[in-house]
Amino acid sequence: MRFHGTMRINGVGHLEIGGCDTVKLAGKYGTPLWIMDEEYIREKCRRFRKAFMEGGRRGDVAYASKAFLTLAMAAIINEEGLSLDVVSQGELYIALKAGFPPERIYFHGNNKSLDELKMAVKVGVGRIVVDNFYEIDLLEKAAGDRKVNIMLRVTPGVEALTHDYIKTGQEDSKFGFSIADGDALTAVNKVHGMKNIVLKGIHCHIGSQIFETRPFVEAADILLGFIRNIKHDFEIDMEELNLGGGFGIYYSPGDEPRDIASYADHIFHLVEDRAREYDLKMPKIIVEPGRIIAGPAGTTLYTVGSIKNIPGIRKYVSVDGGMTDNIRPALYQARYEAIIANRAGEEAVEPVTIAGKCCESGDLLIKDICLPEIESGDILGVSCTGAYGYSMASNYNKLPRPAVVLVREGTAELIVKRETPEDLIANEILPKRLAKDVDLPYASMS
Ligand code: LLP
């Protein structure tokens, strides 16, 4: 398994992250457990700042909170001076609860409700990224007398080489106004005439887990052409160009992530060239990385339970979590790497398949991975689970969602408590006519 951030093998042969022995963490907090490496997160934020916001570059970096959002994460992102991309009232609420300045928040979504827009206007969200004509009308209502700064999300018609479910820049997409069919220019025309709506810039997001710089540069090129048309038709300069997120990370062999600076260099050069060529004001360049900040920072610890060997076919090793804490293998055929945390230095000798505990044959976390000889009771660490793991977790099969621990310089802090069986029924109401007196053998199963 490739090591990320502060991962290392300690003196007793255990996997250590953030100076903490993961086997001890599993003992103290139970499994499954997410470990988040704070130093990794902060270091990535700094690299993005350096590449996009320093050295004379006018840019902004908005962390895409859908990748992983907790109060602590929002607070760290705020301390690092990044902005935040939220996509629902829930994400906005968490950000605000963590003290995140609303003026540094970008509000996304292809079907924001009137209530969501009203809340965004009321708290003074920095930018609302408007996705469609219906939303323009809703926003006009929600804004009332207040002036609202917006960006328009467009589809540039760029195909990124990634899984179909996480592609968004192509023409056939539920997101944004199409440039090709003229909707995007019609949208500019529509908002241009509105008193309470101020068009600041154009946004696109072409997809996720993209390794090349080319699709970003192509998208920027198309957007610059569009900005030139806007200037021609309306005599206004777009102040901001938001290219979304999607920067790929290493999960398993074959994934070859790029240096953040190389994305920034390619994008800035193209935009500078085109701005000069088209006689446009150089726009501020915004990116929205999610996975690349949170992904490799996270490791999930599981306890190995049953092991089923089917001679000549496959050895199934079941762990105490699965698709409820990581839906990505089932949904996108995502590949992960793993390590036996309590014997981290041992050589891999046998191919096994790591299965989850859900009643689904498709609940396999890692198909065919080579590990040291594994035993029930071992602690398995699956790396790069920090993005779209916790945020996409579910209670399928009524599994309580795991806890999250933030580690840094030898200290571990619980930032999300493990759910209990009581939590599973917290929102349930049993009609009186169906209620029975029950006497559980223990007061609370938590
Ligand atoms: N900006 C916008 C407007 C987005 O829609 C997204 C992701 C991002 C930024 C951040 O993309 P990132 O840098 O994290 O790739 N659940 C899927 C990923 C869905 C991404 C949705 N939008 C997965 O687990 O792969």
Side-chain angles (χ1 to χ4, degrees):
M1 185 184 86
R2 189 181 283 190
F3 280 15
H4 307 272
T6 61
M7 279 181 176
R8 67 177 203 104
I9 300 174
N10 69 13
V12 288
H14 292 177
L15 175 67
E16 180 185 291
I17 308 175
C20 298
D21 184 320
T22 57
V23 180
K24 282 194 188 149
L25 293 178
K28 176 165 178 189
Y29 297 102
T31 56
L33 182 68
W34 276 289
I35 310 292
M36 294 298 289
D37 180 347
E38 182 170 344
E39 200 177 307
Y40 184 94
I41 295 167
R42 289 185 182 275
E43 151 75 9
K44 270 281 145 41
C45 291
R46 285 170 197 166
R47 283 214 214 159
F48 265 100
R49 277 189 64 96
K50 189 158 185 273
F52 285 90
M53 301 168 74
E54 290 168 13
R57 285 186 172 166
R58 224 165 53 80
D60 192 16
V61 179
Y63 166 65
S65 67
K66 72 205 74 172
F68 174 76
L69 181 65
T70 63
L71 295 169
M73 184 67 175
I76 292 171
I77 298 296
N78 184 21
E79 275 189 14
E80 291 300 330
L82 264 55
S83 294
L84 201 71
D85 144 2
V86 303
V87 77
S88 67
Q89 197 173 44
E91 286 185 354
L92 178 57
Y93 178 76
I94 292 175
L96 297 173
K97 272 283 193 187
F100 207 95
E103 62 278 10
R104 294 211 324 262
I105 296 180
Y106 296 75
F107 193 9
H108 285 277
N110 68 308
N111 193 22
K112 305 177 191 79
S113 67
L114 185 59
D115 271 354
E116 286 180 314
L117 289 170
K118 278 183 177 163
M119 176 175 172
V121 170
K122 193 166 173 194
V123 302
V125 156
R127 296 286 178 274
I128 295 180
V129 184
V130 175
D131 183 275
N132 53 70
F133 291 111
Y134 174 70
E135 186 182 343
I136 298 179
D137 295 333
L138 282 190
L139 185 57
E140 202 189 13
K141 256 189 236 157
D145 301 333
R146 314 258 298 248
K147 270 212 178 340
V148 183
N149 292 323
I150 69 157
M151 308 190 80
L152 289 179
R153 174 164 184 168
V154 301
T155 41
V158 169
E159 290 254 351
L161 270 181
T162 188
H163 193 284
D164 274 354
Y165 291 2
I166 50 179
K167 271 185 196 170
T168 45
Q170 73 282 10
E171 266 313 305
D172 182 2
S173 162
K174 72 170 181 169
F175 299 104
F177 299 97
S178 159
I179 295 183
D181 74 5
D183 271 3
L185 212 55
T186 308
V188 175
N189 190 32
K190 184 163 181 172
V191 296
H192 188 53
M194 293 180 165
K195 278 196 315 291
N196 50 1
I197 292 184
V198 185
L199 178 60
K200 289 283 186 186
I202 305 298
H203 169 279
C204 74
H205 170 74
I206 51 176
S208 244
Q209 185 64 351
I210 300 166
F211 295 112
E212 319 121 279
T213 54
R214 188 191 47 80
F216 290 98
V217 170
E218 261 178 46
D221 206 357
I222 292 167
L223 262 55
L224 261 289
F226 178 57
I227 289 176
R228 176 172 66 166
N229 292 344
I230 297 175
K231 179 141 185 196
H232 176 267
D233 290 8
F234 302 95
E235 289 175 15
I236 47 171
D237 269 296
M238 288 296 96
E239 290 170 33
E240 298 167 2
L241 173 68
N242 187 331
L243 294 173
F247 310 97
I249 62 168
Y250 178 90
Y251 285 102
S252 61
D255 295 339
E256 282 166 33
R258 266 179 196 269
D259 189 31
I260 291 162
S262 104
Y263 288 111
D265 292 350
H266 282 86
I267 293 170
F268 269 90
H269 288 157
L270 181 281
V271 178
E272 278 158 7
D273 282 357
R274 290 292 182 269
R276 213 173 301 121
E277 190 182 333
Y278 300 160
D279 195 22
L280 299 170
K281 205 171 116 186
M282 176 71 190
K284 179 171 172 181
I285 295 176
I286 301 148
V287 285
E288 299 171 334
R291 179 191 322 265
I292 194 171
I293 291 178
T299 303
T300 314
L301 302 179
Y302 301 98
T303 303
V304 172
S306 67
I307 297 176
K308 174 182 177 181
N309 191 20
I310 313 173
I313 299 186
R314 187 181 295 284
K315 189 168 185 177
Y316 285 99
V317 172
S318 292
V319 295
D320 53 356
M323 66 194 295
T324 41
D325 57 76
N326 189 357
I327 188 76
R328 299 195 70 260
L331 200 52
Y332 319 115
Q333 298 78 48
R335 293 278 314 165
Y336 285 84
E337 290 186 330
I339 192 169
I340 302 180
N342 48 305
R343 291 184 279 123
E346 279 185 25
E347 212 188 312
V349 291
E350 58 166 354
V352 297
T353 285
I354 309 295
K357 66 178 272 140
C358 291
C359 292
E360 293 280 336
S361 299
D363 180 23
L364 302 178
L365 285 174
I366 312 177
K367 243 183 154 171
D368 303 321
I369 179 177
C370 207
L371 287 176
E373 205 166 317
I374 201 159
E375 290 163 18
S376 304
D378 276 336
I379 303 296
L380 189 80
V382 177
S383 61
C384 291
T385 56
Y388 305 109
Y390 171 68
S391 63
M392 293 176 88
S394 76
N395 289 125
Y396 181 48
N397 285 182
K398 292 293 183 235
L399 298 189
R401 282 177 297 178
V404 185
V405 163
L406 187 67
V407 293
R408 175 172 170 258
E409 290 175 0
T411 307
E413 291 161 296
L414 188 64
I415 59 168
V416 180
K417 284 193 289 191
R418 179 176 306 284
E419 284 180 344
T420 65
E422 285 301 313
D423 293 328
L424 296 176
I425 51 166
N427 293 326
E428 291 207 20
I429 298 158
L430 182 62
K432 271 221 165 64
R433 66 190 172 82
L434 300 174
K436 286 206 166 36
D437 269 343
V438 276
D439 195 12
L440 286 180
Y442 22 83
S444 153
M445 273 179 53
S446 58

